[in-house]
Amino acid sequence: MASPVLSLQPVSEGAKQRFLERGQAEDLPANIRRCWERVRSAVDPTHEAKPHVLEGGEVRDRADRLDRWLPLLPEALESVHRALSRRDHVVLFADRDAVVLHQSARAAISDAAREAGIVTGSVWDEGVKGTNAIGTALVEGQPMTVHGAAHFSRAFHNFTCYAALVHDLGGDRLGVIDATTIADRRAPDGWRAVATAAAQWERKMRTLAGPEDHLLRWSQLERIVGRFRGTTAVFGPRGTLRLGLDGEPRHGSQRDLAALWVPIERAIRDGQVSLQSAELELHLEPFHDPSGRLLEIIVHSERRPPQRSFHGAQRLPAADPLTALEGADPAQRAACHRARRLASTSLPIALLAETGTGKELLARAIHRCSPQREGPFVALNCAALPEGIVESELFGHAPGAFTGAALRGQEGWLAAADGGTLFLDEVADLPAHVQLTLLRFLEDGTYARIGERHSRQANVRIIAATSQDLRRRANEGDVRIDFFYRVCAASITLPPLRERVDRVELAQVLLSSMGGDEGRPGLRLSPAARRRVEDARWPGNIRQLKHALQVAMALTDADEISAEDLPTLDVNPLPFEAQAPEESSPLALDEVQEALGRHAGNVAAAARALGVARSTIYRLLRRHQLSVDQLLQESPEAPPDESSR
């Protein structure tokens, strides 16, 4: 099992000098060597650390961005003060850029802390202060103890510091809680005190979460967790470890659970109630919202008794993951066969299908059959990202590249997927300039972060997906033609559920899996229910089918699902290949002309101002045989709308 805390202890002065003067690291423990090597070229350890303190206005701006949660902080910090009550100490909270936003000190350490620059607004990034609990915890991603001379800079050798990360409701880093004491009065369990405070703060956040946060409430979690011994962790739908429930968050066994996310996700997809690793039995409880969307997964782990077999548990690793997706439908089997052949190549793949047909499941299966299967699988929903930050999220940015950029810069999703697969869902919503940059990456594997001039390289397989007609979007100008041909060279089309001949068999397989998950393994469909499944159009596809079966299970205690238990199945949105008729456009040409003039020819901005899709504007122009430039030539000049930029 991974250690719950990264503890950096002092080394001899001779070992440190040999490292600093000649680069000899043989005498250094591996953890200190790793941390010191990161900062060696940026920080001079022999000089007094220069104070790096932000202006009050910037500190207030940073605090305002966390105003939903900062009022809950003092109550959490009280537990740290109690644990360290016999020692002089200062407790800090720093945001995810290592900027101190809050501090509270006890007794005589206040003056010493102030002299060392431990004040509100001070920046504790590793590149500024060297190895320290706050900055190093943000890099290492686990609770820290940095004792005395284990600090890289001599200016902090008189302190011992303990730090633990705090995460928001989505599992993203909110910042770090740090406790600092005088080195010769260190507390052996100081790290545990700050980790517990971080857990308390995260639990308080969850207690106040509203429906818009799409999370289980804390009271619900307590009831669920009470049924099990051992460690429990809560994962988001993409594998983010959101919460630890054994009193100390995100360390030890929870870190080991996070490392098992891929088989956990696979087991949930296959309807398994448990799985086994070499040492653990994992019990899985997925939770969905009323539409069937996966919200969170609770994973309970218990030590596996020797020689015990667990009935129904999935062994690791699983066999060919594409087999589980094939079913008995010829079109679905053909799609999986094509996916299996393409998986062994490095070609980008486009998955074309209606929403709810399982595009991401197929992408994950392709990844697990590919040469990149040992690397990460990173999924990004392009439609969910605001247009202004898509490029930064995908490629990353350099320090100070734009207002609000992270002080240390930030790696993008492309770097996160290095050695593996990047799944771009709803790829048609990528802005044109991002399509061009991604196209260059597909050609030679190089890219640059925003604000950087030098190129970086990544070995990433791109799998794109869309529920839109990419060829039509390309003809309308929303998708670059060259990007379309590059991404769609190897495409796979998944059949909608209404066209699959095995939908009744698929429904029974899903029902049996979900029934086993709820302790009702004998569930089956009645003949009338089977006919309803066969006859329904299923506009929401497999996602809708799963939700319908969940509703039916909730409405009956019988072993047989009746037709009356199934909810209304047919709601008729436009199917995947349907196009709105040309004459349905509610816009007049002069309205479009005026909007384009105000927004300097920016079609996306004009469409937002008019409350329509970009494709609506392009259809209107095509009907009048006009280009944007031609229409603007007829338009009186108007100053561009600054808010659209």
Side-chain angles (χ1 to χ4, degrees):
M1 289 291 180
S3 171
V5 59
L6 179 59
S7 180
L8 304 184
Q9 300 298 321
V11 298
S12 70
E13 186 63 26
K16 186 169 187 177
Q17 287 305 313
R18 286 190 292 275
F19 171 73
L20 294 176
E21 295 172 3
R22 299 191 293 274
Q24 294 180 359
E26 296 82 0
D27 298 334
L28 298 180
N31 54 13
I32 284 190
R33 180 170 65 248
R34 180 176 71 247
C35 296
W36 283 4
E37 283 178 344
R38 282 199 302 265
V39 303
R40 181 184 178 196
S41 61
V43 178
D44 186 342
T46 63
H47 292 170
E48 288 294 318
K50 295 180 180 179
H52 190 131
V53 182
L54 301 184
E55 296 293 331
E58 185 170 351
V59 175
R60 285 191 296 273
D61 289 344
R62 288 176 173 271
D64 288 345
R65 291 197 285 269
L66 303 178
D67 62 353
R68 185 182 182 190
W69 306 126
L70 280 181
L72 307 176
L73 175 61
E75 182 180 349
L77 296 188
E78 277 304 313
S79 64
V80 183
H81 288 309
R82 287 194 298 271
L84 302 178
S85 60
R86 296 184 179 182
R87 296 170 175 82
D88 295 342
H89 64 276
V90 59
V91 180
L92 313 167
F93 169 70
D95 67 12
R96 62 185 181 184
D97 294 320
V99 178
V100 174
L101 302 183
H102 174 93
Q103 69 160 335
S104 54
R106 290 293 188 268
I109 197 174
S110 299
D111 293 338
R114 193 178 305 109
E115 290 176 6
I118 305 174
V119 296
T120 301
S122 56
V123 181
W124 290 84
D125 182 272
E126 276 192 337
V128 176
K129 297 290 179 65
T131 301
N132 70 90
I134 293 174
T136 305
L138 286 166
V139 175
E140 294 287 337
Q142 68 178 112
M144 293 287 308
T145 294
V146 183
H147 178 48
H151 288 91
F152 189 71
S153 173
R154 294 185 187 277
F156 312 123
H157 284 190
N158 291 332
F159 299 101
T160 292
C161 306
Y162 317 92
L165 296 176
V166 183
H167 298 75
D168 64 18
L169 294 177
D172 296 323
R173 290 177 182 177
L174 199 67
V176 178
I177 292 178
D178 170 276
T180 296
T181 66
I182 301 300
D184 59 6
R185 297 213 61 202
R186 58 176 170 164
D189 282 345
W191 70 270
R192 198 179 301 272
V194 293
T196 300
Q200 290 173 348
W201 195 10
E202 290 177 349
R203 292 175 185 181
K204 196 69 173 178
M205 293 180 206
R206 185 174 284 263
T207 300
L208 298 182
E212 70 279 3
D213 294 303
H214 302 297
L215 297 171
L216 292 167
R217 300 301 297 269
W218 178 248
S219 56
Q220 294 174 291
L221 288 174
E222 286 186 312
R223 288 195 297 271
I224 295 166
V225 172
R227 305 201 307 263
F228 287 88
R229 301 184 306 276
T231 297
T232 301
V234 180
F235 291 90
R238 298 194 186 280
T240 303
L241 180 58
R242 288 181 171 171
L243 196 64
L245 300 173
D246 61 353
E248 294 159 6
R250 299 174 209 284
H251 59 76
S253 50
Q254 276 129 7
R255 290 170 60 84
D256 295 297
L257 288 181
L260 290 173
W261 167 250
V262 171
I264 288 172
E265 184 274 335
R266 184 187 307 146
I268 290 169
R269 182 205 69 196
D270 294 340
Q272 299 289 336
V273 298
S274 63
L275 57 83
Q276 294 177 353
S277 68
E279 300 176 328
L280 298 174
E281 285 180 359
L282 306 183
H283 309 272
L284 314 176
E285 297 199 32
F287 288 85
H288 302 79
D289 69 9
S291 68
R293 183 168 61 94
L294 182 63
L295 293 179
E296 296 189 300
I297 305 99
I298 299 179
V299 180
H300 311 273
S301 70
E302 295 181 298
R303 288 288 182 182
R304 182 182 169 196
Q307 303 302 319
R308 178 183 173 190
S309 62
F310 194 80
H311 180 67
Q314 177 183 334
R315 298 283 178 172
L316 307 177
D320 179 2
L322 284 165
T323 301
L325 300 181
E326 285 183 344
D329 179 75
Q332 179 74 9
R333 293 176 70 90
C336 289
H337 174 72
R338 183 175 174 85
R340 189 175 286 107
R341 297 295 297 267
L342 291 172
S344 62
T345 73
S346 60
L347 290 169
I349 297 174
L351 307 182
L352 311 176
E354 294 179 14
T355 184
T357 49
K359 295 187 291 294
E360 183 171 341
L361 291 180
L362 180 59
R364 289 181 181 274
I366 292 171
H367 169 72
R368 291 196 290 269
C369 291
S370 74
Q372 293 91 349
R373 57 182 165 271
E374 299 301 325
F377 178 91
V378 176
L380 183 64
N381 188 332
C382 303
L385 293 174
E387 185 172 331
I389 69 168
V390 172
E391 189 172 13
S392 172
E393 289 290 311
L394 188 56
F395 301 106
H397 63 261
F402 49 83
T403 302
L407 291 177
R408 293 173 294 157
Q410 181 172 295
E411 298 295 339
W413 291 109
L414 202 59
D418 192 16
T421 300
L422 178 61
F423 174 61
L424 298 176
D425 199 6
E426 296 305 338
V427 71
D429 288 303
L430 282 177
H433 70 284
V434 179
Q435 295 174 27
L436 178 60
T437 309
L438 187 60
L439 184 62
R440 290 172 180 154
F441 171 76
L442 290 171
E443 293 297 334
D444 61 11
T446 63
Y447 69 99
R449 299 195 304 180
I450 295 176
E452 276 186 346
R453 295 185 178 180
H454 66 274
S455 295
R456 294 168 177 254
Q457 192 120 17
N459 175 23
V460 177
R461 193 323 166 46
I462 300 292
I463 300 180
T466 184
S467 57
Q468 303 180 52
D469 187 332
L470 270 185
R471 184 179 295 278
R472 176 167 61 86
R473 293 291 302 275
N475 290 335
E476 292 171 349
D478 290 338
V479 174
R480 293 178 59 93
I481 293 292
D482 48 1
F483 182 74
F484 166 75
Y485 284 120
R486 185 72 173 90
V487 169
C488 290
S491 62
I492 300 170
T493 301
L494 291 173
L497 182 58
R498 63 183 172 276
E499 295 179 5
R500 288 182 58 163
V501 300
D502 63 344
R503 51 188 175 274
V504 173
E505 292 82 356
L506 176 61
Q508 184 58 63
V509 169
L510 292 172
L511 183 63
S512 298
S513 296
M514 291 187 289
D517 207 17
E518 295 290 330
R520 301 167 65 184
L523 277 175
R524 62 188 180 277
L525 294 167
S526 70
R530 293 168 69 90
R531 285 193 296 273
R532 274 202 76 186
V533 170
E534 179 69 39
D535 295 340
R537 294 292 295 164
W538 298 111
N541 292 298
I542 298 173
R543 184 182 295 123
Q544 183 192 7
L545 173 60
K546 287 182 177 179
H547 178 53
L549 295 174
Q550 288 173 327
V551 171
M553 288 170 58
L555 294 177
T556 182
D557 293 324
D559 290 337
E560 188 172 80
I561 299 296
S562 69
E564 291 72 24
D565 295 326
L566 293 168
T568 302
L569 302 181
D570 286 322
V571 182
N572 290 307
L574 287 174
F576 171 61
E577 64 277 359
Q579 299 183 29
E582 294 285 340
E583 59 273 11
S584 66
S585 172
L587 294 178
L589 189 62
D590 58 347
E591 290 181 277
V592 175
Q593 184 185 54
E594 191 271 338
L596 286 171
R598 280 192 294 110
H599 294 277
N602 186 322
V603 177
R608 283 195 298 270
L610 293 168
V612 299
R614 286 176 292 178
S615 57
T616 302
I617 292 179
Y618 284 117
R619 279 199 301 272
L620 186 66
L621 293 174
R622 209 168 46 244
R623 189 161 71 241
H624 291 275
Q625 297 182 337
L626 290 170
S627 68
V628 172
D629 290 339
Q630 289 170 330
L631 186 62
L632 285 175
Q633 287 173 4
E634 302 175 11
S635 174
E637 290 189 4
D641 184 352
E642 294 296 331
S643 65
S644 70
R645 295 187 177 179

